[in-house]
Amino acid sequence: MASEENGSTYPSALETAEAYFPDQAKLVQRLFDVNEAFHSMCEDLAAAAQALAQAEQLPEAIKELRRLEYAGLVDALLKEMREAISQSKIVVLRRPPVAGPKSP
């Protein structure tokens, strides 16, 4: 977990992503390590989830608006990450090239 200067502790980007996709934790970790775009999505997700959690501390006048905004960001990131996870499971099978007649 990452520690903030004020002493509070937040999950790392990878831990946050694994929490949202517990059944695919190994795949999430592999993508986090090898796919820069997925790694960035994990960091964005951690920041959005943290902001969503902290929205409860905001004044009543803006709390619900910010909560909806951050919840929307989390949902959009999760959708994008699900797509990336799904795409990473696709195996492309190619037929070997058709060999023409051999020359003597």
Side-chain angles (χ1 to χ4, degrees):
M1 290 202 175
S3 229
E4 297 291 318
E5 289 181 11
N6 64 7
S8 60
T9 304
Y10 298 101
S12 72
L14 178 57
E15 290 169 333
T16 300
E18 289 172 335
Y20 280 97
F21 301 100
D23 295 342
Q24 299 169 325
K26 288 190 184 291
L27 180 55
V28 166
Q29 184 175 13
R30 184 176 64 78
L31 288 172
F32 184 86
D33 291 339
V34 301
N35 184 317
E36 189 175 326
F38 189 83
H39 187 111
S40 179
M41 284 185 266
C42 291
E43 290 175 348
D44 291 347
L45 177 64
Q50 180 182 338
L52 179 58
Q54 290 177 340
E56 293 303 315
Q57 308 302 318
L58 294 172
E60 288 298 322
I62 62 169
K63 181 187 337 188
E64 185 61 15
L65 182 62
R66 292 295 178 250
R67 192 191 68 70
L68 290 172
E69 177 183 358
Y70 297 133
L73 287 172
V74 168
D75 288 345
L77 285 163
L78 290 174
K79 181 180 178 184
E80 192 174 352
M81 292 171 75
R82 274 188 209 97
E83 182 66 25
I85 290 168
S86 177
Q87 290 295 318
S88 75
K89 294 179 183 179
I90 295 174
V91 176
V92 177
L93 301 176
R94 294 194 175 117
R95 292 184 174 179
V98 177
K102 292 188 179 183
S103 301

